[in-house]
Amino acid sequence: MLAEEVVATELIPPFDNTAVDGFAVRSADVASASPATPVELEVVATVAAGAVADRPIGAGQAIRIMTGAPIPPGADAVVMVEDTSSSDGGARVAVTAAVAPGAAVRPAGDDVRPGTVVFRVGEELSAAHLGVLRSLGRSEVLVHPRPRVGVVSTGDELVEGPAPLGPGQIRDSNRATLLALVAAAGCEAIDLGLQPDVEATIAAAFEDGARRCDALLSSGGVSMGDFDYVKRVLDRVGEMNWMQVAIKPAKPLAFGHVGGVPCFGLPGNPVSSMVSFELFARPGLRRLGGHPDDRLVRRPVRAVAPDGLRRTLDGKTHFQRVVADYDHAQAAYVVRSAGGQGSHHLAAMAAANALAVVPDGGGVEPGGLVDVLLLR
Ligand code: AMP
Ligand code: MG
């Protein structure tokens, strides 16, 4: 993420050059050229990319020229090699097509001129941005580094790997999910491991994370259970706010600081942790990464729900997992439920590409409109 304005100090391209392999000519000389009436010119030199013609061209003359080579003085256009045929061992060329002045010439500064603001603060440096910077001779610019974000899973029931599950055990899915979401949000994801429900080890994991990371994410242990040690630990080693948000899924949420480092305590249920990340952690992490204010959250788009989206009144806004497709005939997004809407229905989350924001009430009628957040 760019943290300084970049002003061009050079021309791109730096000189008038040819866009094609062919012959630099005076366009007036070949004005009458056609396949039936070729115009013969004398070839007085060859100029490759990286070289400079050692002489200008005069009337009736041409210079053989390769893509990227400077336009020789006197020439005002280039005829591409496909519209020519050479003779006399290359000393002469017959041009079979007329060219307008400036044809196949890339003028100096055509792309970028000195004094132009090429990039602004808060622009994400894409591959093309890096190319422009290199074209301008810039190998260093001021950027916001990617925030380093530590991810920890907590829970005695969780295990890692393919070994058969013991009674009551499940596999830790949230860590892989959250590490991937962190990376997709433009951050560097740091794996802080899977911690059992033991206060001392949870505390050590957070304290270690606070030393190594710019932000921390945990999942699990933030709700009302007897073994929600994350709560106890974070109250001891950090300053946290414990919240209940009027949304479904992802009601419990904690946010605060551990060792001065922002820390999100996300709910443990797999879909809840993902929705909570999307709504609360992602905007915060993007701010940390220097994204401008108007690009922290996804803007909802309006979509049609042909089958409706069912729900009941419960005082909460629901974020339903849906598949959104752009329907060209209707010029609108069309959404359908992606499957089970329970906070453990991770497969439906994987099938979804959007969250429909269904306000409190009886849901969306078939054919009704709904706001959706397009996740990818
Ligand atoms: P908790 O918030 O710790 O009470 O967890 C709520 C639910 O999420 C429980 O069913 C947990 O087993 C489940 N859960 C918590 N952490 C994870 C995780 N890392 N991967 C998969 N499920 C989890
Ligand atoms: Mg737990």
Side-chain angles (χ1 to χ4, degrees):
M1 177 69 46
L2 197 59
E4 66 170 318
E5 189 175 80
V6 175
V7 178
T9 50
E10 296 180 5
L11 293 160
I12 312 176
F15 48 85
D16 294 355
N17 69 97
T18 170
V20 298
D21 297 320
F23 291 85
V25 299
R26 296 161 24 138
S27 57
D29 286 356
V30 297
S32 64
S34 76
T37 60
V39 172
E40 281 246 333
L41 301 173
E42 179 195 0
V43 180
V44 296
T46 296
V47 52
V52 177
D54 56 3
R55 58 160 92 191
I57 67 167
Q61 294 184 331
I63 285 182
R64 182 189 294 274
I65 192 168
M66 309 304 148
T67 303
I71 302 293
D76 69 346
V78 179
V79 181
M80 61 179 173
V81 72
E82 290 85 342
D83 292 329
T84 65
S85 69
S86 293
S87 60
D88 203 2
R92 301 195 67 76
V93 65
V95 173
T96 57
V99 285
V105 174
R106 302 189 285 209
D110 189 30
D111 192 12
V112 174
R113 306 197 140 267
T116 307
V117 176
V118 280
F119 303 138
R120 292 173 199 285
V121 173
E123 274 189 55
E124 231 166 321
L125 294 177
S126 69
H129 285 76
L130 299 187
V132 171
L133 291 172
R134 286 299 167 130
S135 298
L136 291 169
R138 297 285 300 265
S139 51
E140 287 187 7
V141 283
L142 201 62
V143 295
H144 286 281
R146 291 176 190 277
R148 292 162 59 86
V149 181
V151 176
V152 59
S153 281
T154 63
D156 273 347
E157 74 281 28
L158 302 175
V159 292
E160 211 169 1
L165 295 172
Q169 291 187 326
I170 60 164
R171 296 198 175 86
D172 173 13
S173 61
N174 289 354
R175 200 150 40 98
T177 308
L178 290 171
L179 287 167
L181 288 174
V182 162
C187 304
E188 189 185 337
I190 312 283
D191 188 351
L192 297 176
L194 166 57
Q195 304 301 331
D197 286 323
V198 174
E199 282 195 41
T201 51
I202 296 175
F206 277 107
E207 284 168 338
D208 166 50
R211 281 189 293 272
R212 293 161 57 197
C213 303
D214 303 308
L216 299 172
L217 288 183
S218 72
S219 70
V222 297
S223 41
M224 314 297 276
D226 287 350
F227 305 101
D228 286 341
Y229 291 114
V230 173
K231 205 164 190 163
R232 270 188 242 172
V233 167
L234 286 180
D235 273 334
R236 187 155 56 75
V237 302
E239 295 121 48
M240 301 293 289
N241 297 298
W242 304 93
M243 294 164 270
Q244 302 285 319
V245 189
I247 58 173
K248 187 178 177 178
K251 183 172 70 157
L253 173 71
F255 178 74
H257 291 84
V258 174
V261 169
C263 177
F264 295 86
L266 307 180
N269 278 304
V271 177
S272 305
S273 68
M274 290 188 75
V275 170
S276 192
F277 179 91
E278 167 64 27
L279 298 181
F280 305 115
R282 185 176 175 275
L285 298 180
R286 282 170 70 82
R287 162 154 294 164
L288 210 53
H291 289 255
D293 283 359
D294 59 346
R295 277 189 267 137
L296 298 180
V297 297
R298 295 183 214 271
R299 292 218 185 87
V301 298
R302 281 253 124 157
V304 182
D307 310 328
L309 294 169
R310 259 187 283 272
R311 60 158 293 171
T312 52
L313 190 79
D314 61 3
K316 299 177 193 168
T317 301
H318 290 194
F319 290 84
Q320 294 198 7
R321 277 70 73 202
V322 294
V323 177
D325 282 311
Y326 190 75
D327 178 18
H328 289 275
Q330 292 186 60
Y333 279 98
V334 169
V335 294
R336 290 191 166 82
S337 172
Q341 296 293 326
S343 59
H344 61 296
H345 284 137
L346 196 49
M349 183 76 196
N353 63 356
L355 295 173
V357 188
V358 186
D360 196 20
V364 180
E365 290 297 313
L369 294 174
V370 64
D371 279 345
V372 295
L373 304 171
L374 299 173
L375 300 177
R376 48 190 155 82

